[in-house]
Amino acid sequence: MKRMCKTKLSLAIALTIASSVGQYAMAEYPVFSLTKGETVDLGTPQGTMYGLDADNLSTINADYVTGRLIDERNTIITSQNGSTVNIKNGDLQVGRSSNPVVISKGGTVNLGVDGNTGNFTGHDMSIEGDVRIDGNPNYASVINIGLDSDEVMWTGFALNVADKNAKQPNHINVFLGQRGYWDHLYQGGLNGTGLSTMTTPSRVHRLVGSKNRSFENAVIQNEHNEIHIDKLEGHVNFFYDINGEYDDTEDPAYTPPTKTYNGLTPDSFWGGDIHITSAAPNAYAHVFSSQKGLDVSSEDNVNKILDNLAHKIYYHNYVNGERNLQGTVGIASNGAESARFKVLTEGYAKEGAITWQADKNGQGKYVYGENKPAPAPKPEVKPTPKPEPKPQPKPTPKPEVKPEPAPAPKPEIKPTPAPAPKPEVKPTPAPTPKPEVKPTPAPKPENNGHIHVVVDDFDTPHMRGARSAIMSNINGWRTLTDNMYRPRVLQQGEPTGIWARVGGGKYSFNATGIDTDTTYTRIQGGYDAKTSSGWTVGGQVSYLRGNDDYVFNGTGKEKAFAVGAYGLKDLGNNQYIHIESQVGRASNDFTVRNEIGERLSGETKANAYSIGARYGKTVKLSNGTYIEPQAQLSYTHFGGDSFNAGSMHVDQSGVSSTAGGLGLEIGKNFGAGNIYTRIGVNHAFSGTVKTTYTSGATTKYTSEDIKGTWTDLAFGGRYGFNANNSIFGDISTGLSGDYKAGWSVNAGFTHKF
């Protein structure tokens, strides 16, 4: 969790705070109060605040607040009688206190969001505590909470205890965006109200999710208390973890749970129901359960579990004819088991559509209808005797078409082959494509049946995360060994000697099911010298460290190192050739998550080597200007690996790739150095990464093609202080391609002994 320690309080503001502690002066705690309609911008108050109180049309603005609750107070933030408190970012915690973190009594409190617009004011709003509206007969009471970060969350209830029939609006609005996380856990905010902590629901006026489907936002239902939502907007994920561990294991009174819920009975999903009154157009509610403890030993069990889970959510305005809300229900993936977008009949983990029931107040239901075994026996009885008598009748193959039905004794002989489903089994295998897909996984998924999966077909988040880690590792090696850098600057006039280069940048890889971004730093160094044969040769050492971001909030830490040799030779007529070879190792320590944030961690390592050559011809123009077309060819082999990511075992094949490139450099030489710009087009002609994922009895396969074209643009130059010392640098950016060097900045020096 991030922390900010800015000190921006002016002397005037500090004096205001000192003079406003009023009733809290004896406690000597930092409490800021406004009561006379003032407006104050606090910036980032130094240290911890124990209270922010706005009264009588006052306004308090703050960039970042660290707030804690003390016994002398019943809340951290109070806004009443038409006042407003705006906090862009913050860390607000009630700890063990039985009071809310925010109380609105006819005032407005905006936390991380610009009012009810849904525009986030920051990405660092962490809240531990219930928020509560007590109401006011003269002013509206509003609390707006904006959460848009994977590093922070809100843990607590949304308690609206104001009079439901009040003339003034009393609203709690929650904006999750794409990455917001609300853990529905009671923190003690009903203290002093006389309301039941076991039955009082959370009431949210607007719950706003992402515009497009994202598995990053979440509402975790960890309580028996219900959640009531007046209006749902966008895509929101609701998660039930009925066998999860939420108790404080460090508490001396802690006892481990003694019951495991299998999901087959309605009471298995003990978390409170979710009641949605209305929904905006194109709104979606995605309801998931963790696989932990569920009895998914058969497809029928899975269907029952999904139906019981669908019963937890209501869409009340469906009864009145509103049709804006769509819902899905699913069992979260675990390793290679389950699917994201398609209903599986294999692997016993799936996602399907929710049907709303108008006769049950809009309660959700998962309709799985007749299973395949039901319709199967019927077609076996009728289509078999009539269409198949043509090939089967041995006694009279020709008259069997129509004359045979008359003699009853012979059709009675036909029922003998008819009831035998064997003839039906034989014609079925004829269309090989269909029987091969179903007989393997469907009939015997429990007997270690393997599911062969095409790229992106039934691809799970954990699988995508592992694939992303593997591809980031491969691209890390690409980045470490790119461009034969040292021979190129030597060609531009850099002196030989000892040299070093340091830089950093960002690269990405976007393909089906993979979206990776890596920020890296790179250090290189070496030594080179001219030989009597006309070659300039040298050796180098390279090291790269990177931080990865994957789909579903996955992360990785890359490391790669290489040692290599290179050479440059002038071929005459302004022509040259560069050669380079490198060998090394790359690793990635990663953590990946599924739809409900369950983690799998692992480390993938692989040896690698590369060899390449570049040819160029310099066309010299006037005034030191030159044009230089270039052609390059390289070969890379990245080794395979077998590793575990939590409960999932991964086998990655090695991959070899041949790539070529064409470039054009335009530059100008001047007395002490040169400047240049270069554009390049590169194409990988080969390379396929084949990966196997195994979780329990499920095995899936993916194949990732790394062939493709990418382009880049670079600007750089060098400057020589004298014959023995010079500096050089460059900036570059990727223009297109699945693999894309987003940006890179490098600088270095050379010293000749």
Side-chain angles (χ1 to χ4, degrees):
M1 189 177 299
K2 300 176 183 178
R3 294 290 183 269
M4 299 176 70
C5 300
K6 301 177 182 177
T7 55
K8 295 183 177 178
L9 284 181
S10 66
L11 178 60
I13 294 175
L15 292 174
T16 303
I17 294 176
S19 64
S20 65
V21 295
Q23 58 182 314
Y24 309 112
M26 293 184 64
E28 297 184 356
Y29 293 121
V31 176
F32 185 81
S33 298
L34 290 183
T35 61
K36 300 179 180 179
E38 309 100 323
T39 296
V40 173
D41 295 325
L42 297 181
T44 302
Q46 183 177 7
T48 300
M49 297 294 296
Y50 294 96
L52 290 174
D53 300 327
D55 197 358
N56 294 324
L57 303 174
S58 300
T59 300
I60 299 176
N61 300 314
D63 294 331
Y64 190 98
V65 171
T66 300
R68 299 292 183 268
L69 188 62
I70 56 175
D71 293 338
E72 286 78 2
R73 293 180 54 85
N74 62 354
T75 185
I76 299 176
I77 299 173
T78 302
S79 182
Q80 56 189 353
N81 297 318
S83 298
T84 302
V85 177
N86 299 310
I87 300 178
K88 295 181 180 180
N89 297 277
D91 177 21
L92 309 174
Q93 299 184 30
V94 297
R96 300 271 183 186
S97 301
S98 299
N99 288 292
V101 66
V102 173
I103 295 179
S104 174
K105 300 178 181 180
T108 299
V109 179
N110 298 315
L111 303 176
V113 67
D114 183 14
N116 62 3
T117 63
N119 297 320
F120 297 102
T121 58
H123 306 283
D124 196 5
M125 178 54 68
S126 179
I127 307 169
E128 181 188 65
D130 305 328
V131 300
R132 195 177 82 199
I133 285 181
D134 290 351
N136 186 298
N138 301 315
Y139 297 96
S141 301
V142 180
I143 299 176
N144 296 308
I145 299 175
L147 307 164
D148 188 37
S149 174
D150 55 4
E151 297 184 14
V152 296
M153 70 174 72
W154 169 34
T155 303
F157 271 27
L159 300 170
N160 191 338
V161 300
D163 184 358
K164 297 180 182 178
N165 300 316
K167 295 181 180 180
Q168 301 295 336
N170 299 290
H171 293 159
I172 299 174
N173 301 310
V174 180
F175 302 88
L176 298 176
Q178 183 170 325
R179 301 178 295 170
Y181 194 94
W182 176 18
D183 195 352
H184 190 240
L185 277 174
Y186 178 68
Q187 301 295 304
L190 288 171
N191 188 41
T193 66
L195 298 174
S196 172
T197 61
M198 294 300 295
T199 60
T200 302
S202 281
R203 297 186 181 275
V204 175
H205 180 59
R206 294 173 63 198
L207 180 61
V208 183
S210 56
K211 294 182 179 180
N212 300 307
R213 185 169 190 187
S214 164
F215 286 86
E216 298 179 54
N217 68 31
V219 177
I220 310 297
Q221 178 55 306
N222 293 326
E223 295 282 5
H224 294 276
N225 306 63
E226 297 176 344
I227 300 177
H228 291 215
I229 304 162
D230 294 336
K231 187 176 184 181
L232 186 79
E233 303 172 42
H235 293 256
V236 178
N237 300 307
F238 298 91
F239 302 149
Y240 287 83
D241 193 359
I242 58 178
N243 295 303
E245 186 62 79
Y246 295 102
D247 296 305
D248 186 0
T249 56
E250 298 181 358
D251 189 336
Y254 167 76
T255 55
T258 57
K259 182 177 181 180
T260 299
Y261 297 92
N262 59 18
L264 300 179
T265 58
D267 63 344
S268 289
F269 294 95
W270 49 263
D273 295 342
I274 297 167
H275 293 265
I276 301 171
T277 301
S278 68
N282 301 314
Y284 284 80
H286 306 287
V287 188
F288 280 96
S289 171
S290 168
Q291 285 195 43
K292 293 194 294 286
L294 300 183
D295 183 359
V296 292
S297 58
S298 69
E299 185 176 353
D300 186 58
N301 281 3
V302 173
N303 290 330
K304 290 179 181 177
I305 292 170
L306 291 177
D307 191 36
N308 288 331
L309 184 59
H311 291 167
K312 301 301 294 182
I313 190 166
Y314 290 77
Y315 176 27
H316 294 291
N317 274 4
Y318 186 87
V319 178
N320 304 323
E322 184 179 290
R323 296 295 184 268
N324 292 337
L325 180 63
Q326 300 184 57
T328 64
V329 61
I331 300 173
S333 61
N334 183 18
E337 295 181 309
S338 94
R340 290 182 55 203
F341 302 114
K342 298 182 181 180
V343 176
L344 291 180
T345 57
E346 313 93 347
Y348 302 123
K350 59 187 180 181
E351 178 183 88
I354 293 177
T355 298
W356 310 112
Q357 304 174 91
D359 60 340
K360 293 187 177 181
N361 202 20
Q363 185 181 32
K365 180 178 178 58
Y366 175 66
V367 181
Y368 46 97
E370 299 86 16
N371 291 325
K372 294 178 183 178
K378 295 179 181 179
E380 287 177 6
V381 178
K382 296 179 181 179
T384 305
K386 294 181 180 179
E388 297 196 1
K390 298 179 182 179
Q392 289 178 359
K394 297 180 181 179
T396 48
K398 297 179 181 179
E400 72 175 349
V401 179
K402 292 177 181 179
E404 289 288 333
K410 293 181 181 178
E412 288 179 6
I413 302 172
K414 295 173 185 176
T416 329
K422 297 179 181 178
E424 292 181 9
V425 180
K426 294 177 182 177
T428 321
T432 28
K434 296 181 180 179
E436 286 179 2
V437 177
K438 296 180 179 178
T440 308
K444 298 180 180 179
E446 300 176 61
N447 298 328
N448 296 323
H450 294 299
I451 304 170
H452 190 90
V453 181
V454 184
V455 174
D456 195 42
D457 193 15
F458 308 148
D459 206 358
T460 70
H462 284 151
M463 289 171 58
R464 292 191 173 189
R467 288 168 59 200
S468 297
I470 292 170
M471 288 306 304
S472 291
N473 222 18
I474 294 173
N475 291 327
W477 178 259
R478 281 185 178 182
T479 303
L480 183 67
T481 59
D482 71 334
N483 265 338
M484 291 183 277
Y485 186 82
R486 183 60 182 176
R488 181 162 51 80
V489 295
L490 288 172
Q491 178 65 30
Q492 294 170 337
E494 191 74 2
T496 59
I498 188 172
W499 62 273
R501 178 196 185 203
V502 62
K506 184 175 182 178
Y507 60 83
S508 61
F509 186 83
N510 297 289
T512 305
I514 297 182
D515 185 3
T516 72
D517 288 296
T518 302
T519 303
Y520 69 90
T521 55
R522 176 176 55 193
I523 301 175
Q524 296 175 295
Y527 177 80
D528 41 48
K530 294 183 179 180
T531 67
S532 58
S533 62
W535 282 88
T536 299
V537 297
Q540 65 183 17
V541 179
S542 304
Y543 178 75
L544 178 145
R545 295 190 66 169
N547 294 311
D548 303 334
D549 289 319
Y550 310 137
V551 292
F552 296 96
N553 291 328
T555 58
K557 293 186 179 298
E558 291 184 38
K559 294 180 182 179
F561 73 91
V563 295
Y566 53 88
L568 161 67
K569 184 175 177 58
D570 189 342
L571 301 177
N573 296 321
N574 296 316
Q575 302 177 83
Y576 65 85
I577 186 171
H578 300 164
I579 60 172
E580 183 175 281
S581 64
Q582 298 195 65
V583 60
R585 186 171 179 82
S587 65
N588 195 335
D589 189 353
F590 64 90
T591 297
V592 296
R593 295 171 174 81
N594 65 358
E595 303 92 332
I596 62 174
E598 294 175 323
R599 302 181 180 186
L600 291 184
S601 297
E603 184 178 16
T604 175
K605 304 177 181 178
N607 298 322
Y609 64 85
S610 301
I611 186 169
R614 175 193 287 116
Y615 167 82
K617 180 177 177 61
T618 305
V619 180
K620 296 182 180 180
L621 306 176
S622 60
N623 299 320
T625 305
Y626 67 89
I627 299 177
E628 187 176 284
Q630 305 166 348
Q632 180 175 322
L633 186 66
S634 63
Y635 174 83
T636 297
H637 178 77
F638 197 87
D641 191 20
S642 179
F643 58 93
N644 292 322
S647 59
M648 180 173 67
H649 183 72
V650 182
D651 285 301
Q652 170 226 327
S653 69
V655 57
S656 297
S657 177
T658 301
L662 295 175
L664 180 66
E665 182 176 308
I666 302 174
K668 180 179 176 62
N669 296 314
F670 52 89
N674 80 311
I675 55 174
Y676 68 88
T677 181
R678 185 182 67 259
I679 186 169
V681 180
N682 308 279
H683 182 75
F685 299 99
S686 61
T688 302
V689 184
K690 297 181 179 180
T691 311
T692 303
Y693 315 82
T694 302
S695 294
T698 300
T699 298
K700 296 181 179 180
Y701 309 85
T702 62
S703 181
E704 192 69 44
D705 194 349
I706 64 173
K707 293 183 290 185
T709 302
W710 65 97
T711 59
D712 54 67
L713 178 67
F715 304 90
R718 56 171 294 276
Y719 179 79
F721 296 101
N722 49 52
N724 298 324
N725 297 281
S726 69
I727 57 174
F728 52 87
D730 68 77
I731 58 174
S732 63
T733 182
L735 301 178
S736 63
D738 292 345
Y739 166 72
K740 183 177 180 181
W743 58 269
S744 175
V745 178
N746 301 277
F749 72 91
T750 299
H751 174 71
K752 185 176 183 180
F753 294 104

